[in-house]
Structure formats: structure tokens, C-alpha cells
Amino acid sequence: MVKEALQFLAHLRRISRFPSPFTCNKLLHSLINSGCGHLSAKLLIHLLSKGFGCSPDIVSYNSLLDGYCSSCQIQKACFLVNRVRGCELNRPDLVMFNILFKGFAKVYMKNEAFMYLGLMWKYYLPSIVTYGTFVDMFCKMGDMEMGNRMFLDMMKVGIVPNLIVFSSLIDGYCKAGSLDVAFEYFERMKECSVRPNEFTYSTLIDGCSKRGMLAKADSLFENMLSASILPNCKVFSSLIDGYCKAGNLDVAFEYFEKMKECSVRPNEFTYSRLIDGCSKRGMLARADSLFEKMLSASILPNCTVYTSIIDGHFKKGNVDDAIKYINQMFDQDIKLDLTAYTVIISGFHRVGRFDKSMEAAEYVAKKGLLPDRIILTAIMDVHFKAGNIKEALNAYKILLAKGFEADVATLSALMDGLSKHGYLQKARRYFVKEKANEILYTVFIDALCKEGNLDEAEKMIKEMSEAGFVPDKFVYTSLIAELCKQGNLLKAFMVKKRMVQEHIEPDLLTYSSLISGLAEKGLMIEAKQVFDDMLNKGITPDFVAYDILIRGYHNQGNGAAISGLHDEMRKRGITVED
């Protein structure tokens, strides 16, 4: 194509006759589609320089403009539009302005977009494409107030929003964590007779799954199927991720099987969530099997996948298997992140291989694979977990001495380590409100709860909310666990009710805390009811949950109930202690 274009341009220079608009447009389109925007521009400039401004019509200009905007050459795009504005024979049409707006949106130049919107008003009223472009731009920028304002403006002038507009707003509000508003727009779609598509459903399902609103996510999935819309990989992966995080692996694997039935191919994220879920639950044979399936499907595991499975094997004491996967990571030249090195360093520490633990840390520092701050944070965290408080604080001092500023990850590890070893007052000194995020607040609230300081914990939860962070299930579970420990069961169940009202699904630890609190008071009928409620929610109990009930029944001398629980444990593959 390039050769033909150059020959054609040379031909134009030799003759005084110039191509028709049709021929000119055809050539420009061909050049742009083949990635030769610079030749398109050269051709158009040559025509203009010869005084044949009438030959390239507005379609020619728009073709070239689209090429500039698609390749993010916004300065050239603006120059072209301004040239057309100064041309007597042509003037920008609505299509030209909309192409330019899409270019601005691509690089988030909202001020420039508004300036040209003002120029456009001299000639045309904004169309659905114009509004859709602006709505999408603001939503992707996270400016939902402006996105909503553009939506209201288009409604005022009588333009009915289309699928693109609604999907942009729903996606924006889901990413902003405002699912209630996202669902309001979902209902408005129906009022405007706009049919949701695959993207709309996948966005809402992903938002619900991330927030633990799994019943709502299931309902959306069923609605999607009823509407004859085939779920994509993102839909299935979001649901699998949500159920893995909730500890309900049975349902997660049901969705994994449904993927096959729908001929949807799992991707790296799908496998990583399932492997992580299995590894965390000690189901390592299944995690290993998934890992092999992943390789068989020619999907290369990433650092997250390896980290999950290595962590699982270390926690089970399978050192040889953990080392096997570590060696595979290095063989595959996979760059390890902070989490991976922390898992490896702490894993060796956990099994008493302190030489290997420090060797791993030193290897990373020597190779310069990660900043020293991250490595020192990992080493500090390892020393805390091993109970070496002095060495942990020394690692923190070295970090500061090297000129590194303690970030949220470092402060979280420091506060968590000090708190868990009973140095809560010292941990308080490192809490910097300006730097705090969800993790830092969660660590501090958990420490306050474990110390038994519930009044202070509730104040911190309130402060967390006022700072714009949403308390998650870990925060509420810490509070419930300590309330149960103190025997305040009424308030513990009130907190659980608040969790549900805020669409946060209680997990295994939440239920285990409530069961423990009831069992401690000898309320075994109520404890078994909570246990059964947990099963009905699809949460699989572990050894600890069963052990709590067994100890409670043992205190009451109820051997029949204990025997029944032992049978259930065997069916689930959980080892029964003699």
C-alpha cells in the first residue's frame, strides 16, 4: 500500500489534474487503515498547497483526523480542525467534532474538549455521540459528578441515553464503589427501553462479587442467561473470585464447570483465584491439579499464582513442594513482588530454615530485583512473625537510615507486628492519619479488638468511615470475635446484622467466632443453629469450626452429637483426632 501511495503522490506532482473527492477519500482511508497516517497528511497537504482546497472534501479531513486521534496525535488533530475552520470551502461538521472529542477523551483532556464543545455550539447541537463520549470520558476519569451532570443535560434536551451511556455510568459507579447508584442506572435502562448487554452485566456482577454481594451476583447471572446473553470469562471469573474469598469453594467450582458448559475458556485470573482459594483451604492436591491444567491450556502462571501455591505448601509443611515451585519461578524468569518474597522468607522461617530465609532476602538485595525498602519491609515482617522484635525494629531503623520513607505497606507491617506482640501503645505512634488506607485502619482496629479495647475500636471504625474508607468483613469480624470473647453475644449478633445490611457477607471466621461465643456459654442448641446457617450459606466448615462444637458438646457430655460431627468431618475429608 505504501508503494502505491508514493507512486500516486509522485503522479499528482507531475500532472495538473487532481483526483475526485471519491478517489481522494478512498486513498486516504486505505493509507490510514494501513497505519500510514503521515502519508495521508502528506497527500492532503500537497492538494491544499496547490490551491485545490475543493478536492479533499470534509470526509477526507475526517479520515485523516480519525487517524490522528486514534494514534493520540492530538496536537496535529487540533491543527487540522482549526485549518478546516479557516477554510472557506469547507467547515467542520458534527462528525469532525465528535471524532476530535473521542481523541480528547482517549488522553483525558477534558478542558480542551470543553473548549471545542463551545466552538461546536456555533454550528451544531450536541448529538447522542457527543454526550456519550463526554460521559464515558468522565466516568473513566472517576469524575462521576460530571458524568452524571452530562447525563442530566442530555435528558433535558430530549436525547434518550443509549447503551454506551448507561454502560459507562454503571461501570464508573461500580469502580467508585457506589453500587446503589449503579443499580439505579440499571433500572433506568429498563425505563428507557435500553437492553443491557454482556458488558453491563459483567460490570455489575464484578462489582457485586468484589463487595461480597454474592446472592445479588447470582441473581444477575440468572437474569443474564434468561436474556439469552452468554456470560463471558470476566463474569465467571468475578463470581469464582467472590465465592473463593467467601470460602465457598463448592460454588466456585460449580461456576468453573459452567464455564466449560458455556464453552468459555478460563484465563490466568480464573485459575489464580481457584488456586489461591484451594491453597488457603489446604486443598493442595487440587491446587496442584489446577496448576497442571493451567499449563496444559498454555496459560503461563504469573507471580500471584506461584505465590499462592508456595504459601499453601509452606503452611502444610511441604517444604520440598514449595521449593519446587520457587525453582520453577526462577527458571521461568518471573519477577517476584513483595508478597512473593514475604511468603518465601516467612515460609522458610516458619519451618525453621532461617538460613534459607535470610539467604532469600540477601539474594534479592544483591540482585537489585526490588527496592531495598520493600526487601527490608519483608525482613522486618519475618522477624516479627518469628518473635524477634529487636531484629524487626532494627530492620525498620536500617530502612529509615537508607533514606527510604515508610509507606503504607511498611507502616502496616510495623503496626501489625508490634500490636500482635502486645506493644499496642508503641504501634499507635506509627499511625499516620494522612497516610492511612483501608489496610492500615484494619490492622489498627484488629489490634484494638485483640487488646479488648472495643470502645476505641468502634471510634476507629467511625473515623475510618469518615475518612472515606468502607469497613470490610475483616474489620467487622475482628469486632465480633472480641465481643464474643467478652461474652457480649447480643452486640456481636447486632454487628453481624449490620454487616448483612451493608451487603457484606459473613465468612467462616465470622461464624466460627459466633459459634465459639455461644458454645462458651453452653448455648449448644443456638451454636448448632448458627453452624447450620453457615452451611446453608454455602460456607464450608474447617477443623476449627467442628472442634469448637465438639468441645462444647464434650462439656455437656453429649457423645451422640460428637459422633455425628465426626461422621460429617470424615465425609468432608477432615482428619478426626482421637
Side-chain angles (χ1 to χ4, degrees):
M1 183 64 225
V2 177
K3 182 180 177 182
E4 288 83 351
L6 289 171
Q7 288 175 346
F8 184 77
L9 187 57
H11 176 68
L12 288 180
R13 285 174 172 168
R14 287 196 305 268
I15 65 174
S16 57
R17 192 162 44 85
F18 286 81
S20 66
F22 176 79
T23 306
C24 182
N25 294 335
K26 185 179 177 182
L27 184 62
L28 285 170
H29 274 295
S30 299
L31 285 166
I32 290 165
N33 291 335
S34 62
C36 300
H38 62 291
L39 285 176
S40 302
K42 195 168 184 180
L43 174 62
L44 191 59
I45 290 166
H46 176 73
L47 293 170
L48 294 170
S49 68
K50 295 295 183 180
F52 284 83
C54 57
S55 183
D57 62 4
I58 197 65
V59 179
S60 303
Y61 286 111
N62 287 343
S63 297
L64 183 56
L65 180 66
D66 190 47
Y68 283 144
C69 290
S70 297
S71 57
C72 298
Q73 298 182 67
I74 305 303
Q75 189 174 357
K76 290 182 179 179
C78 292
F79 176 80
L80 184 64
V81 172
N82 291 336
R83 181 155 192 165
V84 175
R85 285 179 58 224
C87 180
E88 295 180 3
L89 298 169
N90 283 306
R91 74 171 186 177
D93 62 358
L94 185 57
V95 174
M96 176 170 278
F97 279 110
N98 285 333
I99 292 170
L100 184 61
F101 294 144
K102 285 183 180 179
F104 286 134
K106 200 168 183 179
V107 292
Y108 306 126
M109 294 172 66
K110 63 177 182 180
N111 293 333
E112 291 79 359
F114 270 121
M115 184 183 78
Y116 277 91
L117 181 65
L119 293 173
M120 191 191 79
W121 274 94
K122 295 179 180 179
Y123 308 104
Y124 316 100
L125 293 174
S127 66
I128 180 66
V129 175
T130 313
Y131 280 110
T133 302
F134 274 86
V135 169
D136 187 58
M137 175 177 66
F138 285 120
C139 291
K140 282 176 178 169
M141 292 175 71
D143 191 345
M144 299 314 300
E145 184 181 348
M146 281 302 300
N148 185 57
R149 188 181 298 178
M150 295 300 292
F151 176 85
L152 295 175
D153 284 350
M154 70 186 294
M155 294 288 281
K156 280 180 186 175
V157 297
I159 297 176
V160 179
N162 59 11
L163 179 62
I164 294 172
V165 171
F166 279 115
S167 294
S168 297
L169 286 161
I170 289 169
D171 183 51
Y173 277 110
C174 281
K175 285 175 179 171
S178 304
L179 261 69
D180 292 342
V181 184
F183 275 105
E184 284 176 18
Y185 276 106
F186 188 58
E187 290 303 315
R188 283 191 180 187
M189 286 184 81
K190 299 173 187 175
E191 294 169 11
C192 294
S193 301
V194 178
R195 188 172 181 263
N197 66 353
E198 183 185 81
F199 178 79
T200 319
Y201 278 109
S202 67
T203 301
L204 287 168
I205 289 171
D206 184 59
C208 290
S209 299
K210 279 187 169 71
R211 289 279 291 162
M213 299 162 59
L214 298 173
K216 186 72 175 174
D218 288 336
S219 175
L220 285 163
F221 181 83
E222 293 302 323
N223 290 344
M224 195 175 183
L225 294 179
S226 299
S228 299
I229 300 172
L230 185 67
N232 58 15
C233 185
K234 183 182 177 182
V235 170
F236 282 112
S237 298
S238 297
L239 288 161
I240 288 168
D241 182 40
Y243 276 105
C244 283
K245 284 176 179 172
N248 194 339
L249 290 177
D250 291 340
V251 179
F253 275 102
E254 283 176 18
Y255 275 112
F256 189 58
E257 290 303 314
K258 282 181 184 177
M259 286 186 82
K260 298 175 188 175
E261 294 168 15
C262 294
S263 300
V264 178
R265 188 172 182 263
N267 63 7
E268 184 181 72
F269 180 74
T270 319
Y271 278 109
S272 73
R273 296 301 83 214
L274 285 168
I275 289 171
D276 184 64
C278 289
S279 298
K280 279 185 169 64
R281 303 285 292 165
M283 299 162 63
L284 294 167
R286 199 157 192 181
D288 290 336
S289 175
L290 283 164
F291 188 89
E292 291 303 320
K293 285 181 181 177
M294 193 175 182
L295 293 176
S296 299
S298 299
I299 300 172
L300 294 177
N302 60 12
C303 182
T304 304
V305 174
Y306 275 108
T307 302
S308 297
I309 208 161
I310 290 167
D311 190 39
H313 280 295
F314 267 130
K315 284 176 179 174
K316 275 282 186 179
N318 306 335
V319 182
D320 290 340
D321 288 317
I323 291 172
K324 179 188 78 174
Y325 284 111
I326 292 168
N327 289 336
Q328 282 185 28
M329 287 187 81
F330 282 105
D331 291 341
Q332 296 291 328
D333 289 326
I334 293 172
K335 187 177 180 181
L336 281 71
D337 58 14
L338 171 62
T339 307
Y341 278 113
T342 302
V343 163
I344 292 169
I345 295 167
S346 60
F348 280 123
H349 225 296
R350 190 183 295 114
V351 296
R353 299 286 298 274
F354 302 117
D355 55 331
K356 283 284 184 185
S357 179
M358 294 313 296
E359 183 185 317
E362 288 167 8
Y363 175 81
V364 175
K366 283 178 185 176
K367 291 289 182 181
L369 298 175
L370 289 171
D372 286 355
R373 176 182 55 76
I374 297 177
I375 301 305
L376 288 165
T377 299
I379 293 170
M380 177 183 71
D381 193 44
V382 168
H383 283 307
F384 271 129
K385 285 172 181 171
N388 303 326
I389 312 301
K390 186 177 178 181
E391 290 298 321
L393 292 175
N394 187 49
Y396 181 68
K397 288 176 183 175
I398 293 171
L399 184 148
L400 297 178
K402 283 181 173 285
F404 294 109
E405 184 181 354
D407 63 359
V408 172
T410 305
L411 291 173
S412 297
L414 179 63
M415 288 178 60
D416 187 50
L418 288 169
S419 301
K420 283 177 177 171
H421 288 286
Y423 297 97
L424 185 60
Q425 293 305 317
K426 196 165 186 176
R428 282 173 185 263
R429 298 178 205 161
Y430 295 102
F431 184 83
V432 182
K433 192 173 179 181
E434 291 74 22
K435 286 187 178 181
N437 64 356
E438 294 97 326
I439 298 170
L440 212 55
Y441 273 111
T442 301
V443 166
F444 198 35
I445 291 165
D446 181 60
L448 289 167
C449 289
K450 283 185 170 64
E451 189 191 47
N453 194 344
L454 293 177
D455 289 339
E456 194 67 28
E458 294 206 58
K459 284 180 185 176
M460 190 59 68
I461 292 171
K462 185 181 178 184
E463 182 183 305
M464 181 181 184
S465 300
E466 288 172 352
F469 302 114
V470 181
D472 59 11
K473 65 181 177 183
F474 300 107
V475 171
Y476 284 119
T477 298
S478 295
L479 187 58
I480 288 170
E482 185 56 32
L483 285 167
C484 289
K485 188 177 174 183
Q486 293 185 13
N488 194 343
L489 296 177
L490 179 61
K491 192 163 185 181
F493 277 95
M494 286 172 64
V495 174
K496 179 193 174 258
K497 185 179 179 181
R498 195 199 316 173
M499 281 180 77
V500 175
Q501 287 173 342
E502 292 181 10
H503 306 295
I504 301 170
E505 296 288 338
D507 62 6
L508 177 61
L509 185 56
T510 317
Y511 279 105
S512 295
S513 299
L514 292 166
I515 294 165
S516 178
L518 291 165
E520 284 292 322
K521 286 190 173 284
L523 302 169
M524 293 309 298
I525 294 173
E526 291 81 358
K528 186 63 168 65
Q529 286 174 345
V530 173
F531 184 86
D532 291 339
D533 180 46
M534 178 180 78
L535 294 179
N536 292 332
K537 295 288 184 185
I539 297 172
T540 307
D542 60 2
F543 175 83
V544 174
Y546 277 110
D547 191 55
I548 292 167
L549 280 179
I550 288 167
R551 289 176 185 275
Y553 283 129
H554 178 76
N555 292 336
Q556 293 185 347
N558 192 340
I562 293 171
S563 179
L565 289 173
H566 280 166
D567 289 341
E568 281 185 33
M569 290 173 74
R570 290 187 187 98
K571 286 177 184 176
R572 292 183 182 275
I574 299 172
T575 305
V576 177
E577 293 183 352
D578 296 331

